[in-house]
Coordinates of all heavy atoms in Angstrom, one line a residue:
A1 N 80.9 138.9 93.1 CA 80.1 137.8 92.8 C 79.7 137.9 91.4 O 79.8 138.9 90.6 CB 78.8 138.0 93.6
L2 N 79.5 136.7 90.9 CA 79.0 136.7 89.3 C 77.9 135.6 89.3 O 77.8 134.6 90.0 CB 80.2 136.0 88.7 CG 79.9 135.5 87.3 CD1 79.6 136.8 86.3 CD2 81.1 134.7 86.6
A3 N 76.8 136.0 88.7 CA 75.6 135.2 88.5 C 75.5 134.8 87.0 O 75.4 135.8 86.2 CB 74.4 135.9 89.0
I4 N 75.3 133.7 86.7 CA 75.0 133.3 85.3 C 73.6 132.7 85.2 O 73.4 131.6 85.9 CB 76.0 132.2 84.7 CG1 77.4 132.9 84.8 CG2 75.7 131.8 83.4 CD1 78.5 132.0 84.2
H5 N 72.7 133.4 84.7 CA 71.3 132.8 84.4 C 71.3 132.1 83.1 O 71.8 132.5 82.2 CB 70.4 134.0 84.4 CG 70.2 134.8 85.7 ND1 69.4 134.6 86.7 CD2 71.2 135.8 86.3 CE1 69.5 135.3 87.7 NE2 70.6 136.1 87.4
Y6 N 70.5 131.0 83.1 CA 70.4 130.2 81.9 C 68.9 129.7 81.6 O 68.6 128.8 81.2 CB 71.2 128.9 82.0 CG 71.2 128.2 83.3 CD1 70.3 127.3 83.5 CD2 72.1 128.4 84.3 CE1 70.2 126.5 84.7 CE2 72.1 127.8 85.4 CZ 71.2 126.8 85.7 OH 71.1 126.1 86.9
R7 N 68.0 130.8 81.8 CA 66.7 130.5 81.7 C 66.2 130.2 80.3 O 65.4 129.3 80.1 CB 65.8 131.7 82.0 CG 65.8 132.1 83.5 CD 64.9 133.2 83.9 NE 64.7 133.5 85.4 CZ 65.6 134.2 86.1 NH1 66.6 134.9 85.4 NH2 65.4 134.2 87.3
L8 N 66.9 130.8 79.3 CA 66.6 130.6 77.9 C 67.5 129.4 77.3 O 67.4 129.2 76.2 CB 66.9 131.9 77.1 CG 65.8 133.0 77.5 CD1 66.1 134.3 76.7 CD2 64.4 132.5 77.5
A9 N 68.4 128.8 78.3 CA 69.3 127.8 77.7 C 69.4 126.8 78.8 O 70.6 126.5 79.3 CB 70.5 128.4 77.2
S10 N 68.4 126.2 79.3 CA 68.4 125.3 80.5 C 69.3 124.1 80.2 O 69.7 123.5 81.2 CB 67.0 124.9 80.7 OG 66.4 124.2 79.8
G11 N 69.6 123.8 79.0 CA 70.5 122.6 78.7 C 71.9 122.9 79.2 O 72.8 122.0 79.2
L12 N 72.3 124.2 79.4 CA 73.6 124.5 79.8 C 73.9 124.5 81.3 O 75.0 124.8 81.7 CB 73.9 125.8 79.3 CG 73.9 126.1 77.7 CD1 74.2 127.5 77.4 CD2 74.9 125.2 77.2
A13 N 72.9 124.0 82.1 CA 73.0 124.0 83.5 C 74.2 123.2 84.0 O 75.0 123.8 84.8 CB 71.8 123.4 84.1
G14 N 74.5 122.0 83.4 CA 75.6 121.4 83.9 C 76.9 122.1 83.5 O 78.0 122.0 84.4
E15 N 77.1 122.5 82.4 CA 78.3 123.2 82.0 C 78.5 124.5 82.8 O 79.7 124.8 83.2 CB 78.1 123.7 80.4 CG 79.4 124.3 79.9 CD 79.4 124.6 78.4 OE1 78.4 124.1 77.7 OE2 80.2 125.4 78.0
V16 N 77.6 125.3 83.1 CA 77.6 126.4 84.0 C 78.0 126.0 85.4 O 79.0 126.7 85.9 CB 76.2 127.2 84.1 CG1 76.3 128.3 85.2 CG2 75.9 127.9 82.7
E17 N 77.4 125.1 85.9 CA 77.8 124.5 87.2 C 79.5 124.1 87.2 O 80.1 124.4 88.1 CB 77.0 123.4 87.7 CG 77.3 122.9 89.2 CD 76.3 122.0 89.7 OE1 75.4 121.4 88.8 OE2 76.3 121.6 90.9
R18 N 79.8 123.3 86.2 CA 81.0 122.9 86.2 C 82.1 124.0 86.0 O 83.1 124.1 86.7 CB 81.4 121.9 84.9 CG 80.9 120.6 85.2 CD 81.3 119.5 84.1 NE 80.8 120.0 82.8 CZ 79.6 119.7 82.4 NH1 78.6 119.2 82.9 NH2 79.3 120.1 81.1
E19 N 81.9 124.9 85.2 CA 82.7 126.1 85.0 C 82.9 126.9 86.2 O 84.0 127.5 86.5 CB 82.2 126.9 83.7 CG 82.5 126.2 82.4 CD 83.9 125.9 82.1 OE1 84.8 126.6 82.4 OE2 84.1 124.8 81.4
L20 N 81.7 127.2 86.7 CA 81.8 128.1 88.0 C 82.4 127.3 89.1 O 83.1 128.0 89.9 CB 80.4 128.5 88.5 CG 79.8 129.7 87.5 CD1 78.5 130.1 88.1 CD2 80.7 130.9 87.4
G21 N 82.2 126.1 89.2 CA 82.8 125.2 90.2 C 84.5 125.3 90.0 O 85.2 125.4 91.0
A22 N 84.8 125.1 88.8 CA 86.3 125.2 88.6 C 86.8 126.6 88.8 O 88.0 126.7 89.4 CB 86.5 125.0 87.0
A23 N 86.1 127.7 88.6 CA 86.6 129.0 89.0 C 86.6 129.2 90.5 O 87.5 129.7 91.0 CB 85.6 130.1 88.4
A24 N 85.6 128.5 91.2 CA 85.6 128.6 92.6 C 86.8 127.9 93.2 O 87.5 128.4 94.1 CB 84.3 128.1 93.3
D25 N 87.1 126.7 92.7 CA 88.4 126.0 93.0 C 89.7 126.8 92.9 O 90.5 126.8 93.7 CB 88.5 124.7 92.4 CG 87.3 123.7 92.7 OD1 86.7 123.8 93.8 OD2 87.3 122.7 91.9
R26 N 89.6 127.5 91.7 CA 90.9 128.3 91.5 C 91.1 129.4 92.4 O 92.0 129.9 92.8 CB 90.8 128.9 90.0 CG 91.3 127.8 89.0 CD 91.4 128.4 87.6 NE 90.3 129.3 87.1 CZ 89.3 128.7 86.4 NH1 89.2 127.3 86.2 NH2 88.4 129.4 86.0
L27 N 89.9 130.0 92.8 CA 89.9 131.2 93.6 C 90.1 130.8 95.1 O 90.6 131.6 96.0 CB 88.5 132.0 93.6 CG 88.4 132.8 92.3 CD1 86.8 133.1 92.2 CD2 89.3 134.0 92.2
G28 N 89.9 129.5 95.5 CA 90.2 129.1 96.8 C 89.0 128.9 97.8 O 87.9 129.2 97.3
P29 N 89.3 128.6 99.0 CA 88.1 128.3 99.9 C 87.4 129.4 100.3 O 86.2 129.3 101.0 CB 88.9 127.7 101.1 CG 90.3 128.3 101.1 CD 90.6 128.4 99.6
D30 N 87.7 130.7 100.0 CA 86.8 131.8 100.3 C 85.7 132.1 99.4 O 84.8 133.1 99.6 CB 87.8 133.2 100.4 CG 88.7 133.2 101.6 OD1 88.5 132.4 102.5 OD2 89.7 133.9 101.4
F31 N 85.5 131.2 98.4 CA 84.5 131.3 97.4 C 83.7 130.0 97.2 O 84.3 128.9 97.4 CB 85.1 131.8 96.0 CG 85.6 133.2 95.9 CD1 86.8 133.5 96.4 CD2 84.6 134.2 95.5 CE1 87.2 134.8 96.4 CE2 85.2 135.5 95.5 CZ 86.4 135.9 96.0
H32 N 82.5 130.2 96.8 CA 81.7 128.9 96.6 C 80.6 129.2 95.5 O 80.5 130.4 95.1 CB 80.9 128.5 97.9 CG 79.8 129.4 98.3 ND1 80.0 130.7 98.9 CD2 78.6 129.1 98.2 CE1 78.9 131.2 99.1 NE2 78.0 130.4 98.8
V33 N 80.0 128.1 95.1 CA 79.0 128.3 94.0 C 77.6 128.0 94.7 O 77.4 127.0 95.4 CB 79.2 127.1 92.9 CG1 78.0 127.3 91.9 CG2 80.5 127.5 92.2
Q34 N 76.8 128.9 94.5 CA 75.4 129.0 95.0 C 74.4 128.6 93.9 O 74.3 129.5 93.1 CB 75.0 130.2 95.8 CG 73.5 130.4 96.1 CD 73.2 129.5 97.4 OE1 73.9 129.6 98.3 NE2 72.1 128.8 97.4
P35 N 73.8 127.5 93.9 CA 72.7 127.2 92.8 C 71.4 127.9 93.2 O 71.1 128.1 94.4 CB 72.5 125.6 93.0 CG 73.0 125.4 94.3 CD 74.0 126.3 94.7
G36 N 70.7 128.2 92.1 CA 69.4 128.8 92.3 C 68.5 128.4 91.2 O 68.8 127.5 90.5
L37 N 67.3 129.0 91.1 CA 66.4 128.7 90.0 C 66.8 129.3 88.7 O 66.8 130.3 88.3 CB 65.0 129.2 90.2 CG 63.9 129.0 89.4 CD1 63.7 127.5 89.4 CD2 62.6 129.7 89.9
L38 N 67.5 128.1 88.0 CA 68.0 128.6 86.6 C 69.2 129.5 86.6 O 69.2 130.4 85.7 CB 66.8 129.0 85.6 CG 65.8 127.9 85.4 CD1 64.7 128.5 84.4 CD2 66.4 126.6 84.8
V39 N 69.9 129.5 87.7 CA 71.0 130.4 87.9 C 72.2 129.7 88.7 O 71.7 128.8 89.7 CB 70.7 131.7 88.5 CG1 70.0 131.5 89.9 CG2 71.7 132.8 88.5
H40 N 73.4 129.9 88.5 CA 74.4 129.6 89.5 C 75.1 130.9 89.8 O 75.4 131.6 88.8 CB 75.3 128.6 89.0 CG 74.7 127.1 89.0 ND1 73.8 126.7 88.2 CD2 74.9 126.1 89.8 CE1 73.4 125.4 88.4 NE2 74.1 125.1 89.5
E41 N 75.5 131.1 91.1 CA 76.3 132.2 91.4 C 77.6 131.8 92.1 O 77.7 131.0 92.8 CB 75.6 133.0 92.4 CG 74.1 133.6 92.0 CD 73.4 134.4 93.0 OE1 74.0 135.3 93.7 OE2 72.3 134.1 93.3
L42 N 78.7 132.5 91.6 CA 79.9 132.4 92.2 C 80.1 133.5 93.2 O 80.0 134.7 92.7 CB 81.1 132.5 91.1 CG 82.5 132.6 91.5 CD1 82.9 131.2 92.2 CD2 83.4 132.8 90.4
K43 N 80.3 133.1 94.5 CA 80.2 134.1 95.6 C 81.4 134.0 96.6 O 81.7 132.9 96.8 CB 78.9 134.1 96.2 CG 77.7 134.0 95.4 CD 76.3 133.7 96.1 CE 76.2 134.2 97.4 NZ 74.8 134.0 98.0
P44 N 81.7 135.2 97.2 CA 82.6 135.1 98.3 C 81.9 134.5 99.6 O 80.6 134.8 99.7 CB 83.0 136.5 98.5 CG 81.9 137.2 98.0 CD 81.3 136.4 96.8
R45 N 82.4 133.8 100.3 CA 81.8 133.2 101.6 C 81.6 134.3 102.5 O 80.6 134.1 103.5 CB 82.6 132.0 102.1 CG 82.6 130.9 101.4 CD 83.3 129.8 101.9 NE 83.5 128.6 101.2 CZ 82.5 127.6 100.8 NH1 81.3 127.6 101.4 NH2 82.7 126.6 100.0
C46 N 82.3 135.3 102.6 CA 82.1 136.4 103.6 C 81.0 137.4 103.4 O 80.8 138.1 104.3 CB 83.5 137.1 103.9 SG 83.9 138.1 102.3
A47 N 80.3 137.4 102.2 CA 79.3 138.3 102.0 C 78.0 137.6 101.4 O 78.2 136.6 100.7 CB 79.8 139.3 101.0
D48 N 76.9 138.2 101.6 CA 75.7 137.8 101.0 C 74.8 139.0 100.8 O 75.3 140.1 101.2 CB 75.0 136.7 101.9 CG 74.8 137.1 103.2 OD1 74.4 138.2 103.6 OD2 74.9 136.2 104.2
K49 N 73.6 138.9 100.3 CA 72.7 139.9 100.2 C 72.3 140.7 101.5 O 72.0 141.9 101.5 CB 71.4 139.5 99.5 CG 71.7 139.2 98.0 CD 70.4 138.6 97.5 CE 70.7 138.2 95.8 NZ 69.5 137.7 95.2
G50 N 72.3 140.0 102.6 CA 72.1 140.6 103.9 C 73.3 141.5 104.3 O 73.0 142.7 104.8
T51 N 74.6 141.1 104.1 CA 75.7 142.0 104.4 C 75.7 143.1 103.6 O 76.0 144.2 104.0 CB 77.0 141.2 104.5 OG1 77.3 140.5 103.1 CG2 77.1 140.1 105.6
A52 N 75.3 143.0 102.2 CA 75.3 144.1 101.4 C 74.3 145.0 101.8 O 74.4 146.3 101.8 CB 75.0 143.6 100.0
L53 N 73.0 144.6 102.2 CA 72.0 145.5 102.6 C 72.4 146.3 103.7 O 72.1 147.5 103.9 CB 70.7 144.7 102.8 CG 69.3 145.5 103.2 CD1 68.2 144.9 102.5 CD2 69.2 145.7 104.7
L54 N 73.0 145.5 104.7 CA 73.4 146.3 106.0 C 74.4 147.4 105.6 O 74.4 148.4 106.3 CB 74.0 145.2 106.9 CG 72.9 144.3 107.5 CD1 73.7 143.2 108.4 CD2 72.0 145.0 108.4
Q55 N 75.4 147.1 104.7 CA 76.3 148.2 104.4 C 75.5 149.4 103.7 O 75.9 150.5 104.0 CB 77.4 147.6 103.3 CG 78.3 146.8 104.1 CD 79.1 147.5 105.1 OE1 79.1 147.1 106.3 NE2 79.9 148.6 104.8
F56 N 74.7 149.0 102.7 CA 73.9 150.1 102.0 C 73.1 151.0 103.1 O 73.0 152.1 102.8 CB 72.9 149.6 101.0 CG 73.4 149.1 99.7 CD1 73.1 147.9 99.2 CD2 74.2 150.0 99.0 CE1 73.6 147.5 97.9 CE2 74.6 149.8 97.7 CZ 74.4 148.4 97.3
M57 N 72.7 150.4 104.1 CA 71.8 151.2 105.0 C 72.7 152.1 105.9 O 72.1 152.9 106.6 CB 71.0 150.1 105.8 CG 70.0 149.4 105.1 SD 68.9 150.2 104.1 CE 67.9 151.3 105.2
K58 N 74.0 152.0 105.7 CA 74.9 152.9 106.5 C 75.2 154.2 105.6 O 75.8 155.1 106.1 CB 76.2 152.3 107.0 CG 75.9 151.2 107.9 CD 77.3 150.4 108.2 CE 77.2 149.3 109.1 NZ 78.5 148.5 109.3
E59 N 74.8 154.2 104.4 CA 75.2 155.2 103.5 C 74.0 156.1 103.0 O 72.9 155.5 102.9 CB 75.9 154.7 102.3 CG 77.2 153.8 102.7 CD 77.8 153.1 101.5 OE1 77.4 153.5 100.3 OE2 78.7 152.3 101.7
P60 N 74.3 157.3 102.7 CA 73.3 158.2 102.1 C 72.9 157.6 100.9 O 73.9 157.1 100.1 CB 73.9 159.6 101.9 CG 75.1 159.5 102.8 CD 75.5 158.1 103.0
P61 N 71.7 157.6 100.3 CA 70.5 158.1 100.9 C 69.7 157.1 101.7 O 68.6 157.4 102.2 CB 69.7 158.6 99.7 CG 70.0 157.4 98.7 CD 71.4 157.1 98.9
F62 N 70.4 156.0 102.0 CA 69.6 155.0 102.8 C 69.6 155.0 104.3 O 68.7 154.6 105.0 CB 70.2 153.6 102.4 CG 70.2 153.4 101.0 CD1 71.4 153.3 100.3 CD2 69.2 153.2 100.2 CE1 71.5 153.1 98.9 CE2 69.1 153.1 98.8 CZ 70.3 153.0 98.0
A63 N 70.7 155.6 104.9 CA 70.9 155.8 106.3 C 69.7 156.5 106.9 O 69.1 157.4 106.4 CB 72.1 156.7 106.6
G64 N 69.1 155.9 107.9 CA 68.1 156.4 108.6 C 66.7 156.1 108.2 O 65.6 156.5 108.6
R65 N 66.7 155.4 107.0 CA 65.4 154.8 106.5 C 65.2 153.4 106.9 O 66.0 152.6 107.2 CB 65.5 155.0 104.9 CG 65.6 156.5 104.6 CD 65.6 156.6 103.1 NE 65.7 157.9 102.7 CZ 65.3 158.5 101.6 NH1 64.7 157.8 100.7 NH2 65.5 159.8 101.4
L66 N 64.0 152.8 106.5 CA 63.7 151.4 106.8 C 63.8 150.7 105.4 O 63.2 151.1 104.4 CB 62.3 151.4 107.3 CG 62.0 151.9 108.8 CD1 60.6 151.8 109.2 CD2 63.0 151.2 109.8
P67 N 64.5 149.6 105.4 CA 64.6 148.8 104.3 C 63.3 147.9 104.0 O 62.7 147.5 104.9 CB 65.9 147.9 104.5 CG 65.9 147.7 106.1 CD 65.4 149.2 106.5
F68 N 63.2 147.7 102.8 CA 62.1 146.8 102.4 C 62.7 145.9 101.2 O 63.1 146.3 100.1 CB 61.0 147.7 101.6 CG 59.7 147.0 101.2 CD1 58.6 146.9 102.2 CD2 59.6 146.4 100.1 CE1 57.5 146.2 101.7 CE2 58.5 145.6 99.6 CZ 57.4 145.6 100.6
A69 N 62.8 144.6 101.7 CA 63.6 143.7 100.7 C 62.6 142.7 100.2 O 61.6 142.1 100.9 CB 64.7 142.9 101.5
I70 N 62.6 142.4 98.9 CA 61.8 141.5 98.2 C 62.7 140.6 97.3 O 63.7 140.9 96.9 CB 60.7 142.2 97.3 CG1 61.3 143.0 96.2 CG2 59.7 142.9 98.1 CD1 60.3 143.6 95.3
G71 N 62.1 139.4 97.1 CA 63.0 138.5 96.1 C 62.1 137.1 96.1 O 61.1 137.0 96.7
D72 N 62.7 136.3 95.2 CA 62.1 134.9 95.0 C 63.0 133.8 95.1 O 62.7 132.7 94.4 CB 61.2 135.0 93.9 CG 62.1 135.1 92.5 OD1 63.3 135.4 92.7 OD2 61.6 135.1 91.5
D73 N 64.2 133.9 95.7 CA 65.3 133.0 95.6 C 65.8 132.7 97.1 O 65.7 133.6 97.7 CB 66.3 133.5 94.7 CG 67.1 132.3 94.2 OD1 68.1 132.0 94.9 OD2 67.0 131.9 93.2
C74 N 66.4 131.6 97.2 CA 67.0 131.3 98.6 C 68.0 132.2 98.9 O 68.2 132.4 100.1 CB 67.4 129.9 98.6 SG 68.8 129.6 97.4
T75 N 68.7 132.9 97.9 CA 69.8 133.8 98.2 C 69.2 135.2 98.9 O 69.9 136.0 99.3 CB 70.5 134.2 97.0 OG1 69.8 134.8 96.0 CG2 71.3 132.9 96.5
D76 N 67.9 135.4 98.7 CA 67.3 136.6 99.3 C 67.0 136.6 100.7 O 66.8 137.5 101.3 CB 66.0 136.8 98.4 CG 66.3 137.1 97.0 OD1 67.2 137.9 96.6 OD2 65.5 136.6 96.1
V77 N 67.1 135.4 101.3 CA 66.6 135.2 102.7 C 67.6 136.0 103.6 O 67.0 136.6 104.5 CB 66.7 133.8 103.1 CG1 66.4 133.5 104.6 CG2 65.5 132.9 102.3
D78 N 68.8 136.0 103.3 CA 69.8 136.8 104.1 C 69.3 138.3 104.1 O 69.4 139.0 105.1 CB 71.2 136.7 103.7 CG 71.6 135.3 103.8 OD1 71.5 134.7 104.8 OD2 72.3 134.9 102.9
A79 N 68.8 138.8 103.0 CA 68.4 140.2 102.9 C 67.2 140.4 103.6 O 66.9 141.5 104.3 CB 68.2 140.6 101.4
F80 N 66.2 139.5 103.7 CA 65.1 139.6 104.4 C 65.3 139.7 105.9 O 64.8 140.5 106.6 CB 64.1 138.4 104.2 CG 63.7 138.0 102.8 CD1 63.2 136.8 102.5 CD2 63.7 139.0 101.8 CE1 62.9 136.5 101.2 CE2 63.3 138.8 100.5 CZ 62.8 137.4 100.2
R81 N 66.2 138.8 106.3 CA 66.7 138.8 107.8 C 67.3 140.2 108.1 O 67.1 140.7 109.2 CB 67.5 137.7 108.1 CG 66.8 136.4 108.1 CD 67.7 135.2 108.5 NE 67.2 134.0 108.5 CZ 67.7 132.8 107.8 NH1 68.8 132.9 107.2 NH2 67.0 131.9 107.8
A82 N 68.1 140.7 107.3 CA 68.8 142.0 107.5 C 67.8 143.2 107.6 O 68.0 143.9 108.5 CB 69.8 142.2 106.5
A83 N 66.9 143.0 106.6 CA 65.8 144.3 106.6 C 65.1 144.3 107.9 O 64.8 145.2 108.4 CB 65.1 144.0 105.4
E84 N 64.7 143.0 108.4 CA 63.8 142.9 109.5 C 64.6 143.2 110.8 O 64.1 143.8 111.7 CB 63.4 141.4 109.6 CG 62.3 141.2 108.5 CD 61.9 139.8 108.4 OE1 62.4 138.9 109.0 OE2 60.9 139.5 107.4
S85 N 65.9 143.0 110.8 CA 66.8 143.3 111.9 C 66.8 144.8 112.1 O 67.2 145.3 113.2 CB 68.2 142.8 111.8 OG 69.0 143.5 110.9
L86 N 66.6 145.6 111.1 CA 66.8 147.0 111.1 C 65.3 147.7 111.3 O 65.1 148.8 111.0 CB 67.4 147.6 109.7 CG 68.9 147.1 109.6 CD1 69.3 147.6 108.3 CD2 69.7 147.7 110.8
G87 N 64.3 146.9 111.4 CA 62.8 147.3 111.5 C 62.1 147.4 110.4 O 61.0 148.0 110.3
G88 N 62.8 146.9 109.2 CA 62.0 147.1 108.0 C 61.3 145.8 107.6 O 60.9 145.1 108.6
V89 N 61.1 145.5 106.4 CA 60.2 144.5 106.0 C 61.0 143.5 105.0 O 61.7 144.1 104.0 CB 58.9 145.0 105.2 CG1 58.1 143.8 104.7 CG2 58.1 145.8 106.1
G90 N 61.0 142.3 105.1 CA 61.6 141.3 104.3 C 60.5 140.3 103.9 O 59.6 139.8 104.5

């Protein structure tokens, strides 16, 4: 995944979206662009923050612990759900 934040250059939003869209097109249907608050992310469709959290929780030092997920973006919702599915907090 690749995230381009443009908080200090909000005038570049359109250019960032176009360039990442072109990159997603070149990579094929397994990738997409996810817009956020002053950020655009180029991401694989098969993974998100929730699937990443579930993978982390299988490995030391996370295995056997309860996850606590925080965030402020729509892309964080998958992590919240994953954390809660394991008895943690999202």
Side-chain angles (χ1 to χ4, degrees):
L2 170 69
I4 298 181
H5 295 259
Y6 45 87
R7 285 184 179 93
L8 299 179
S10 60
L12 297 176
E15 184 176 349
V16 169
E17 184 175 17
R18 280 190 303 279
E19 291 297 325
L20 287 183
D25 290 344
R26 287 190 301 275
L27 290 168
D30 292 337
F31 288 83
H32 73 288
V33 176
Q34 169 77 49
L37 181 61
L38 298 174
V39 63
H40 281 79
E41 297 180 53
L42 176 62
K43 300 169 46 172
R45 291 187 186 277
C46 66
D48 55 41
K49 291 180 182 179
T51 56
L53 185 142
L54 293 172
Q55 284 300 115
F56 277 130
M57 296 307 296
K58 293 177 183 178
E59 301 177 12
F62 307 109
R65 297 183 181 203
L66 294 177
F68 188 92
I70 58 174
D72 65 352
D73 198 279
C74 63
T75 62
D76 298 318
V77 172
D78 296 315
F80 302 156
R81 289 184 184 128
E84 291 167 2
S85 77
L86 297 174
V89 177

